[in-house]
mmCIF file of all heavy atoms in Angstrom:
data_model
loop_
_atom_site.group_PDB
_atom_site.id
_atom_site.type_symbol
_atom_site.label_atom_id
_atom_site.label_comp_id
_atom_site.label_asym_id
_atom_site.label_seq_id
_atom_site.Cartn_x
_atom_site.Cartn_y
_atom_site.Cartn_z
ATOM 1 N N ILE A 1 0.872 -1.194 0.008
ATOM 2 C CA ILE A 1 0.008 0.020 0.001
ATOM 3 C C ILE A 1 0.881 1.259 0.011
ATOM 4 O O ILE A 1 1.698 1.414 0.889
ATOM 5 C CB ILE A 1 -0.916 0.013 1.267
ATOM 6 C CG1 ILE A 1 -1.782 -1.229 1.280
ATOM 7 C CG2 ILE A 1 -1.763 1.309 1.265
ATOM 8 C CD1 ILE A 1 -2.556 -1.412 2.615
ATOM 9 N N ALA A 2 0.751 2.060 -0.986
ATOM 10 C CA ALA A 2 1.455 3.356 -1.013
ATOM 11 C C ALA A 2 0.639 4.407 -0.301
ATOM 12 O O ALA A 2 -0.477 4.688 -0.715
ATOM 13 C CB ALA A 2 1.744 3.797 -2.475
ATOM 14 N N ALA A 3 1.128 4.923 0.748
ATOM 15 C CA ALA A 3 0.510 5.997 1.510
ATOM 16 C C ALA A 3 1.219 7.322 1.055
ATOM 17 O O ALA A 3 2.226 7.686 1.581
ATOM 18 C CB ALA A 3 0.601 5.808 3.007
ATOM 19 N N VAL A 4 0.633 7.943 0.068
ATOM 20 C CA VAL A 4 1.306 9.085 -0.611
ATOM 21 C C VAL A 4 0.998 10.370 0.209
ATOM 22 O O VAL A 4 -0.123 10.907 0.108
ATOM 23 C CB VAL A 4 0.804 9.182 -2.070
ATOM 24 C CG1 VAL A 4 1.566 10.352 -2.778
ATOM 25 C CG2 VAL A 4 1.107 7.879 -2.846
ATOM 26 N N ASN A 5 1.960 10.806 0.890
ATOM 27 C CA ASN A 5 1.763 11.915 1.918
ATOM 28 C C ASN A 5 2.219 13.273 1.413
ATOM 29 O O ASN A 5 2.205 14.229 2.159
ATOM 30 C CB ASN A 5 2.532 11.568 3.195
ATOM 31 C CG ASN A 5 4.001 11.286 2.924
ATOM 32 O OD1 ASN A 5 4.348 10.548 2.053
ATOM 33 N ND2 ASN A 5 4.867 11.914 3.768
ATOM 34 N N GLY A 6 2.527 13.390 0.130
ATOM 35 C CA GLY A 6 3.054 14.679 -0.376
ATOM 36 C C GLY A 6 3.424 14.494 -1.852
ATOM 37 O O GLY A 6 2.744 13.779 -2.614
ATOM 38 N N TYR A 7 4.507 15.128 -2.279
ATOM 39 C CA TYR A 7 4.925 15.085 -3.673
ATOM 40 C C TYR A 7 5.287 13.644 -4.092
ATOM 41 O O TYR A 7 6.085 12.975 -3.422
ATOM 42 C CB TYR A 7 6.120 16.002 -3.929
ATOM 43 C CG TYR A 7 5.836 17.463 -3.838
ATOM 44 C CD1 TYR A 7 6.340 18.220 -2.780
ATOM 45 C CD2 TYR A 7 5.052 18.043 -4.809
ATOM 46 C CE1 TYR A 7 6.070 19.554 -2.709
ATOM 47 C CE2 TYR A 7 4.780 19.402 -4.777
ATOM 48 C CZ TYR A 7 5.273 20.183 -3.673
ATOM 49 O OH TYR A 7 5.025 21.493 -3.636
ATOM 50 N N ALA A 8 4.709 13.188 -5.172
ATOM 51 C CA ALA A 8 5.034 11.916 -5.804
ATOM 52 C C ALA A 8 5.325 12.222 -7.255
ATOM 53 O O ALA A 8 4.447 12.104 -8.112
ATOM 54 C CB ALA A 8 3.925 10.878 -5.662
ATOM 55 N N LEU A 9 6.577 12.642 -7.515
ATOM 56 C CA LEU A 9 6.912 13.165 -8.858
ATOM 57 C C LEU A 9 8.018 12.269 -9.441
ATOM 58 O O LEU A 9 8.899 11.765 -8.759
ATOM 59 C CB LEU A 9 7.410 14.594 -8.730
ATOM 60 C CG LEU A 9 6.480 15.589 -8.039
ATOM 61 C CD1 LEU A 9 7.170 16.921 -7.977
ATOM 62 C CD2 LEU A 9 5.146 15.648 -8.798
ATOM 63 N N GLY A 10 8.001 12.128 -10.786
ATOM 64 C CA GLY A 10 9.044 11.352 -11.446
ATOM 65 C C GLY A 10 9.122 9.955 -10.898
ATOM 66 O O GLY A 10 8.159 9.176 -10.909
ATOM 67 N N GLY A 11 10.295 9.608 -10.422
ATOM 68 C CA GLY A 11 10.466 8.277 -9.802
ATOM 69 C C GLY A 11 9.527 7.986 -8.660
ATOM 70 O O GLY A 11 9.222 6.845 -8.391
ATOM 71 N N GLY A 12 9.069 9.067 -7.974
ATOM 72 C CA GLY A 12 8.177 8.877 -6.880
ATOM 73 C C GLY A 12 6.812 8.450 -7.334
ATOM 74 O O GLY A 12 6.117 7.618 -6.742
ATOM 75 N N CYS A 13 6.315 9.030 -8.479
ATOM 76 C CA CYS A 13 5.059 8.621 -9.076
ATOM 77 C C CYS A 13 5.170 7.219 -9.565
ATOM 78 O O CYS A 13 4.285 6.362 -9.382
ATOM 79 C CB CYS A 13 4.657 9.586 -10.187
ATOM 80 S SG CYS A 13 3.009 9.289 -10.863
ATOM 81 N N GLU A 14 6.359 6.849 -10.164
ATOM 82 C CA GLU A 14 6.555 5.476 -10.681
ATOM 83 C C GLU A 14 6.588 4.500 -9.545
ATOM 84 O O GLU A 14 6.120 3.354 -9.698
ATOM 85 C CB GLU A 14 7.843 5.477 -11.472
ATOM 86 C CG GLU A 14 7.761 6.256 -12.770
ATOM 87 C CD GLU A 14 9.086 6.430 -13.471
ATOM 88 O OE1 GLU A 14 10.034 7.015 -12.858
ATOM 89 O OE2 GLU A 14 9.225 5.958 -14.617
ATOM 90 N N LEU A 15 7.141 4.890 -8.422
ATOM 91 C CA LEU A 15 7.224 4.009 -7.248
ATOM 92 C C LEU A 15 5.782 3.717 -6.762
ATOM 93 O O LEU A 15 5.448 2.532 -6.450
ATOM 94 C CB LEU A 15 8.048 4.645 -6.154
ATOM 95 C CG LEU A 15 8.133 3.890 -4.843
ATOM 96 C CD1 LEU A 15 8.704 2.464 -5.006
ATOM 97 C CD2 LEU A 15 9.009 4.666 -3.820
ATOM 98 N N ALA A 16 4.975 4.754 -6.692
ATOM 99 C CA ALA A 16 3.605 4.562 -6.229
ATOM 100 C C ALA A 16 2.872 3.690 -7.160
ATOM 101 O O ALA A 16 2.076 2.831 -6.784
ATOM 102 C CB ALA A 16 2.921 5.904 -6.138
ATOM 103 N N LEU A 17 3.119 3.820 -8.484
ATOM 104 C CA LEU A 17 2.442 2.997 -9.499
ATOM 105 C C LEU A 17 2.796 1.545 -9.392
ATOM 106 O O LEU A 17 2.045 0.646 -9.771
ATOM 107 C CB LEU A 17 2.821 3.468 -10.896
ATOM 108 C CG LEU A 17 2.133 4.778 -11.362
ATOM 109 C CD1 LEU A 17 2.868 5.338 -12.523
ATOM 110 C CD2 LEU A 17 0.665 4.575 -11.656
ATOM 111 N N ALA A 18 3.987 1.260 -8.813
ATOM 112 C CA ALA A 18 4.422 -0.149 -8.658
ATOM 113 C C ALA A 18 3.696 -0.828 -7.501
ATOM 114 O O ALA A 18 3.715 -2.039 -7.361
ATOM 115 C CB ALA A 18 5.903 -0.231 -8.465
ATOM 116 N N CYS A 19 3.086 -0.032 -6.595
ATOM 117 C CA CYS A 19 2.353 -0.554 -5.453
ATOM 118 C C CYS A 19 0.967 -1.021 -5.886
ATOM 119 O O CYS A 19 0.408 -0.590 -6.879
ATOM 120 C CB CYS A 19 2.257 0.476 -4.321
ATOM 121 S SG CYS A 19 3.922 1.019 -3.724
ATOM 122 N N HIS A 20 0.389 -1.907 -5.091
ATOM 123 C CA HIS A 20 -0.888 -2.513 -5.465
ATOM 124 C C HIS A 20 -2.101 -1.597 -5.155
ATOM 125 O O HIS A 20 -3.066 -1.700 -5.832
ATOM 126 C CB HIS A 20 -1.054 -3.866 -4.718
ATOM 127 C CG HIS A 20 0.094 -4.801 -5.022
ATOM 128 N ND1 HIS A 20 1.139 -5.020 -4.091
ATOM 129 C CD2 HIS A 20 0.395 -5.521 -6.146
ATOM 130 C CE1 HIS A 20 1.984 -5.844 -4.656
ATOM 131 N NE2 HIS A 20 1.612 -6.180 -5.866
ATOM 132 N N ILE A 21 -1.952 -0.844 -4.077
ATOM 133 C CA ILE A 21 -3.010 0.103 -3.678
ATOM 134 C C ILE A 21 -2.363 1.410 -3.403
ATOM 135 O O ILE A 21 -1.307 1.454 -2.770
ATOM 136 C CB ILE A 21 -3.772 -0.415 -2.469
ATOM 137 C CG1 ILE A 21 -4.430 -1.771 -2.681
ATOM 138 C CG2 ILE A 21 -4.799 0.631 -1.964
ATOM 139 C CD1 ILE A 21 -5.047 -2.382 -1.458
ATOM 140 N N ARG A 22 -2.985 2.498 -3.826
ATOM 141 C CA ARG A 22 -2.443 3.848 -3.568
ATOM 142 C C ARG A 22 -3.519 4.699 -2.915
ATOM 143 O O ARG A 22 -4.649 4.795 -3.479
ATOM 144 C CB ARG A 22 -2.046 4.503 -4.918
ATOM 145 C CG ARG A 22 -0.793 3.848 -5.574
ATOM 146 C CD ARG A 22 -0.596 4.360 -6.998
ATOM 147 N NE ARG A 22 -1.676 3.912 -7.833
ATOM 148 C CZ ARG A 22 -1.779 2.655 -8.353
ATOM 149 N NH1 ARG A 22 -0.813 1.768 -8.113
ATOM 150 N NH2 ARG A 22 -2.774 2.304 -9.127
ATOM 151 N N ILE A 23 -3.203 5.233 -1.760
ATOM 152 C CA ILE A 23 -4.055 6.192 -1.133
ATOM 153 C C ILE A 23 -3.289 7.470 -0.910
ATOM 154 O O ILE A 23 -2.056 7.426 -0.829
ATOM 155 C CB ILE A 23 -4.687 5.669 0.181
ATOM 156 C CG1 ILE A 23 -3.612 5.358 1.206
ATOM 157 C CG2 ILE A 23 -5.575 4.469 -0.056
ATOM 158 C CD1 ILE A 23 -4.160 4.968 2.565
ATOM 159 N N ALA A 24 -3.974 8.581 -0.837
ATOM 160 C CA ALA A 24 -3.221 9.864 -0.828
ATOM 161 C C ALA A 24 -3.761 10.818 0.237
ATOM 162 O O ALA A 24 -4.937 10.786 0.584
ATOM 163 C CB ALA A 24 -3.378 10.557 -2.187
ATOM 164 N N SER A 25 -2.823 11.578 0.757
ATOM 165 C CA SER A 25 -3.162 12.740 1.588
ATOM 166 C C SER A 25 -3.778 13.822 0.718
ATOM 167 O O SER A 25 -3.468 13.876 -0.525
ATOM 168 C CB SER A 25 -1.883 13.252 2.270
ATOM 169 O OG SER A 25 -1.966 14.622 2.602
ATOM 170 N N GLU A 26 -4.551 14.663 1.273
ATOM 171 C CA GLU A 26 -5.097 15.782 0.551
ATOM 172 C C GLU A 26 -4.037 16.748 0.002
ATOM 173 O O GLU A 26 -4.262 17.509 -0.839
ATOM 174 C CB GLU A 26 -6.054 16.568 1.453
ATOM 175 C CG GLU A 26 -5.352 17.060 2.729
ATOM 176 C CD GLU A 26 -6.342 17.487 3.846
ATOM 177 O OE1 GLU A 26 -7.559 17.492 3.559
ATOM 178 O OE2 GLU A 26 -5.868 17.769 4.973
ATOM 179 N N ARG A 27 -2.825 16.619 0.588
ATOM 180 C CA ARG A 27 -1.732 17.447 0.132
ATOM 181 C C ARG A 27 -0.897 16.845 -1.032
ATOM 182 O O ARG A 27 0.029 17.484 -1.560
ATOM 183 C CB ARG A 27 -0.735 17.674 1.270
ATOM 184 C CG ARG A 27 -1.341 18.391 2.498
ATOM 185 C CD ARG A 27 -0.247 18.578 3.522
ATOM 186 N NE ARG A 27 -0.786 19.047 4.811
ATOM 187 C CZ ARG A 27 -0.029 19.204 5.934
ATOM 188 N NH1 ARG A 27 1.255 18.940 5.861
ATOM 189 N NH2 ARG A 27 -0.574 19.593 7.045
ATOM 190 N N ALA A 28 -1.198 15.635 -1.413
ATOM 191 C CA ALA A 28 -0.404 14.911 -2.401
ATOM 192 C C ALA A 28 -0.445 15.574 -3.787
ATOM 193 O O ALA A 28 -1.462 16.144 -4.194
ATOM 194 C CB ALA A 28 -0.870 13.446 -2.515
ATOM 195 N N LYS A 29 0.671 15.483 -4.485
ATOM 196 C CA LYS A 29 0.765 15.911 -5.865
ATOM 197 C C LYS A 29 1.485 14.820 -6.653
ATOM 198 O O LYS A 29 2.456 14.244 -6.210
ATOM 199 C CB LYS A 29 1.616 17.207 -5.948
ATOM 200 C CG LYS A 29 1.108 18.362 -5.144
ATOM 201 C CD LYS A 29 0.051 19.137 -5.919
ATOM 202 C CE LYS A 29 -0.323 20.416 -5.173
ATOM 203 N NZ LYS A 29 -1.351 21.178 -5.877
ATOM 204 N N PHE A 30 0.983 14.586 -7.862
ATOM 205 C CA PHE A 30 1.476 13.538 -8.713
ATOM 206 C C PHE A 30 1.970 14.115 -10.054
ATOM 207 O O PHE A 30 1.302 15.083 -10.552
ATOM 208 C CB PHE A 30 0.420 12.462 -9.012
ATOM 209 C CG PHE A 30 -0.024 11.709 -7.774
ATOM 210 C CD1 PHE A 30 -1.025 12.244 -6.971
ATOM 211 C CD2 PHE A 30 0.526 10.505 -7.439
ATOM 212 C CE1 PHE A 30 -1.443 11.594 -5.850
ATOM 213 C CE2 PHE A 30 0.116 9.822 -6.304
ATOM 214 C CZ PHE A 30 -0.877 10.367 -5.494
ATOM 215 N N GLY A 31 2.995 13.561 -10.626
ATOM 216 C CA GLY A 31 3.413 14.048 -11.925
ATOM 217 C C GLY A 31 4.610 13.264 -12.471
ATOM 218 O O GLY A 31 5.322 12.611 -11.708
#
């Protein structure tokens, strides 16, 4: 489970995508 608590950019977005479930903080940004 990716608990995305802020910026998930570049390799960070790709890392989240490799996880089976993604949930996000209201502050999260993806790109």
Side-chain angles (χ1 to χ4, degrees):
I1 301 169
V4 183
N5 55 313
Y7 290 111
L9 306 177
C13 187
E14 292 170 300
L15 177 58
L17 286 164
C19 298
H20 305 103
I21 299 173
R22 291 167 294 280
I23 61 174
S25 155
E26 59 198 352
R27 300 181 188 175
K29 301 277 188 180
F30 297 84

